[in-house]
Amino acid sequence: MACVCILFTLKSFSEQCEVVGPAEPVFAVAGEDAILPCSVKPSISVVDMRVEWFRLDLKDSQPVHLYEDHDDRNTDQIQSYRGRTKLIHQELQRGDASLKLSSVRVSDEGLYKCFIQSRSWHDDATVNVRNVLLMGLIFQGWYPEPDLEWLDGDGVSLIPETRETQKHGQIQCETQHHCTSQRQPDSLQSQSETSHAGACFSIFPTVNVILDGDTAHPRLIVSDDGKQVREGRTRREAVDGKTDRFNEYRGVLGKDGFSSGCFYFEVQVRGETKWYLGVARESVIRKGWIRLSSVNGCWTVSLYNGKYRARESSYVLLSLSVDPQRVGVFVDYNEGLVSFYDVESMSHIYSFTNQSFNEKLYPFVCLGYYWNKNSTPLIICDDYK
C-alpha cells in the first residue's frame, strides 16, 4: 500500500508541474545583457534537478548551458557561449531557471529550449530570441551618435525603467536625427539616412552599392546608375569582350569590395520569382555551373521554384511566414557573420555564422541559372525607409 501511495504522489506531481517560458519573443540588443525567462509552476526548488539550455535551430548538439548535480557543467558548451551564460543559483530554490546571456551577439538570435528534469519528472519550454538590434556594432565609428527613442507596440514612448519591464513585448526604435558613418572601408561610401518610427534597420551602417556591369552575365541588363538589373534578350559578350562576366548564373557583383568592419544594404525583390542575393568573395568562380554556397564563397539566400533557401554545405530550406519584398543584407567581416532580414516585417531570415573571410567580399545579386523569363528587375535600394 505504501508503494501505491508513492506512485500516486509522483503522478500527481508530474501532472501539476510544468516548465513555463515567455509567451512573446524576447527582444535583445547586441552588446547588452539579456534574460531568457524559464521557471517551474507552481514554484518549487529545482536545485536538485538537471537544467539544460540548448539551441533548437542549430545542428550543434552541445548545450548552451548545463546545470547538474548542484553545479554548472559547461565543459562541452557551444564555443560561442563560453563565459557568457549564467544561472542565478539562489533563484533555483524558487523554481526560476532563467538564463542570463551577457554581451549579446547577432548570432544569438534564434530558438532556445529550457529543459528541466528530476528523477521522476521532466518538461521543457521554448524561448524565441528575436530582433537582435546591432546597437553595439553600429555606434562604433558613427558621428554624431544618434539619439534613440524607444517605443512600445502602440508607438508610445518608453522611459528606460519601463523598457526594462517590457522585455517580452514589441519594442521599436526611432532615430532622432541623421546618422553619418565616418567609416568607409575599401572606398565604400557610407550614406546618411533618416529612419521612420520602428524602422530599426535604418541605423545599420549602410553603404552605397553600385552594380558592376562588367561582371554581369551577358544577358543581364544593368541600369546606367548601377542600381537595377534585369533579364535581357541579347548577349553582349561578343561585343565588349569582357572576360570577367558570369556566363551561366545570371549574376553580377558590386563595384566595391569590403575587407573589414561591417556594412549593410537592401535589395527590392518584389515581383521577381527567381533570385539569389548576398555577398561573394573576390575570387568566386564566375564560369560554368557552381553551387552558390558558402563553401564556394557565396553567402546567399534565394527564391527558386517557389522555395526560400540558404546554401551552406547543403541546402537549408527556410520557412517564412510572408514573402519578402525587400531583403536587407548585413555583414560583419571580423565576426564572420552574414545575416538576412525581411525589412518590411522586420524579421530575421537567416544567418551564416562563424565564417572565415580572408579576401574581399562583394555585394552579389543573381536572377537564377540559365534562363529567367521574368523581366522584373532587382533594385538596390537607396531610401532605407
Side-chain angles (χ1 to χ4, degrees):
M1 182 66 67
C3 292
V4 173
C5 292
I6 292 173
L7 291 174
F8 178 78
T9 301
L10 293 176
K11 183 177 179 181
S12 299
F13 174 83
S14 63
E15 288 178 347
Q16 294 176 5
C17 293
E18 63 176 336
V19 176
V20 179
E24 301 291 337
V26 173
F27 291 84
V29 176
E32 296 187 4
D33 298 343
I35 300 295
L36 282 54
C38 176
S39 60
V40 175
K41 300 297 182 183
S43 299
I44 60 171
S45 173
V46 295
V47 169
D48 298 326
M49 299 184 189
R50 174 189 176 95
V51 177
E52 182 176 2
W53 282 87
F54 57 93
R55 287 283 293 270
L56 287 173
D57 53 346
L58 294 183
K59 298 177 182 178
D60 201 324
S61 60
Q62 294 174 293
V64 170
H65 192 98
L66 175 62
Y67 170 88
E68 190 174 30
D69 295 331
H70 305 129
D71 201 4
D72 297 306
R73 301 183 181 277
N74 289 320
T75 54
D76 294 327
Q77 185 180 34
I78 296 176
Q79 181 65 38
S80 62
Y81 290 94
R82 295 284 172 88
R84 298 196 300 121
T85 60
K86 183 179 181 181
L87 295 178
I88 310 301
H89 285 205
Q90 57 266 36
E91 294 298 322
L92 295 176
Q93 298 180 14
R94 291 186 279 271
D96 188 346
S98 299
L99 183 72
K100 180 179 180 180
L101 182 58
S102 301
S103 302
V104 170
R105 303 173 181 176
V106 177
S107 59
D108 293 336
E109 185 175 73
L111 293 175
Y112 293 74
K113 178 167 283 190
C114 172
F115 176 80
I116 301 179
Q117 181 183 33
S118 71
R119 292 181 179 179
S120 59
W121 166 87
H122 65 81
D123 196 15
D124 60 68
T126 300
V127 180
N128 186 3
V129 177
R130 292 189 55 197
N131 284 2
V132 181
L133 305 178
L134 306 177
M135 308 288 284
L137 297 175
I138 294 165
F139 294 151
Q140 297 177 9
W142 287 76
Y143 181 83
E145 181 176 312
D147 296 324
L148 298 180
E149 179 181 5
W150 292 88
L151 312 175
D152 65 15
D154 297 322
V156 178
S157 179
L158 298 174
I159 60 175
E161 292 78 8
T162 306
R163 173 158 52 102
E164 287 298 318
T165 63
Q166 300 193 22
K167 291 181 181 293
H168 314 316
Q170 179 70 38
I171 297 178
Q172 302 176 336
C173 68
E174 179 179 13
T175 54
Q176 299 301 310
H177 59 70
H178 290 268
C179 310
T180 304
S181 173
Q182 294 181 318
R183 206 166 17 186
Q184 299 177 345
D186 295 316
S187 75
L188 286 170
Q189 300 300 310
S190 299
Q191 295 176 210
S192 299
E193 74 282 343
T194 303
S195 75
H196 288 198
C200 296
F201 295 134
S202 67
I203 61 176
F204 283 17
T206 58
V207 291
N208 182 22
V209 173
I210 298 175
L211 300 175
D212 185 358
D214 288 344
T215 67
H217 185 283
R219 288 194 184 275
L220 291 183
I221 297 176
V222 178
S223 62
D224 291 340
D225 62 1
K227 294 295 184 180
Q228 300 188 25
V229 59
R230 63 179 176 85
E231 178 78 16
R233 293 185 177 276
T234 60
R235 295 181 65 89
R236 295 173 294 155
E237 194 169 41
V239 177
D240 58 27
K242 298 295 183 182
T243 61
D244 292 334
R245 296 187 183 280
F246 290 90
N247 70 348
E248 294 291 345
Y249 275 99
R250 262 46 178 185
V252 57
L253 298 173
K255 283 191 174 183
D256 296 300
F258 191 90
S259 59
S260 65
C262 51
F263 71 100
Y264 174 81
F265 64 97
E266 294 177 3
V267 181
Q268 179 179 303
V269 298
R270 180 180 290 110
E272 183 51 69
T273 53
K274 188 187 300 183
W275 50 262
Y276 299 74
L277 61 90
V279 293
R281 65 188 179 201
E282 187 171 22
S283 64
V284 65
I285 298 173
R286 307 180 194 182
K287 305 301 181 185
W289 181 86
I290 63 167
R291 292 182 175 88
L292 297 181
S293 67
S294 58
V295 176
N296 292 326
C298 282
W299 293 266
T300 66
V301 295
S302 64
L303 171 62
Y304 189 79
N305 288 338
K307 296 181 179 179
Y308 294 99
R309 305 182 298 185
R311 185 68 184 264
E312 299 204 31
S313 57
S314 59
Y315 283 118
V316 179
L317 291 178
L318 307 175
S319 179
L320 306 183
S321 58
V322 296
D323 294 323
Q325 306 297 306
R326 185 164 173 156
V327 178
V329 183
F330 175 79
V331 178
D332 187 325
Y333 192 100
N334 300 335
E335 289 289 328
L337 171 71
V338 182
S339 290
F340 299 84
Y341 297 88
D342 180 338
V343 175
E344 294 187 358
S345 67
M346 295 185 67
S347 60
H348 176 252
I349 295 176
Y350 189 76
S351 288
F352 295 88
T353 60
N354 300 317
Q355 304 296 301
S356 179
F357 303 137
N358 53 21
E359 56 184 282
K360 283 185 180 181
L361 298 181
Y362 289 78
F364 171 73
V365 297
C366 177
L367 287 165
Y369 174 76
Y370 187 68
W371 183 250
N372 189 328
K373 297 180 180 180
N374 191 331
S375 61
T376 303
L378 297 179
I379 302 174
I380 305 296
C381 304
D382 284 334
D383 53 353
Y384 297 100
K385 293 181 180 179

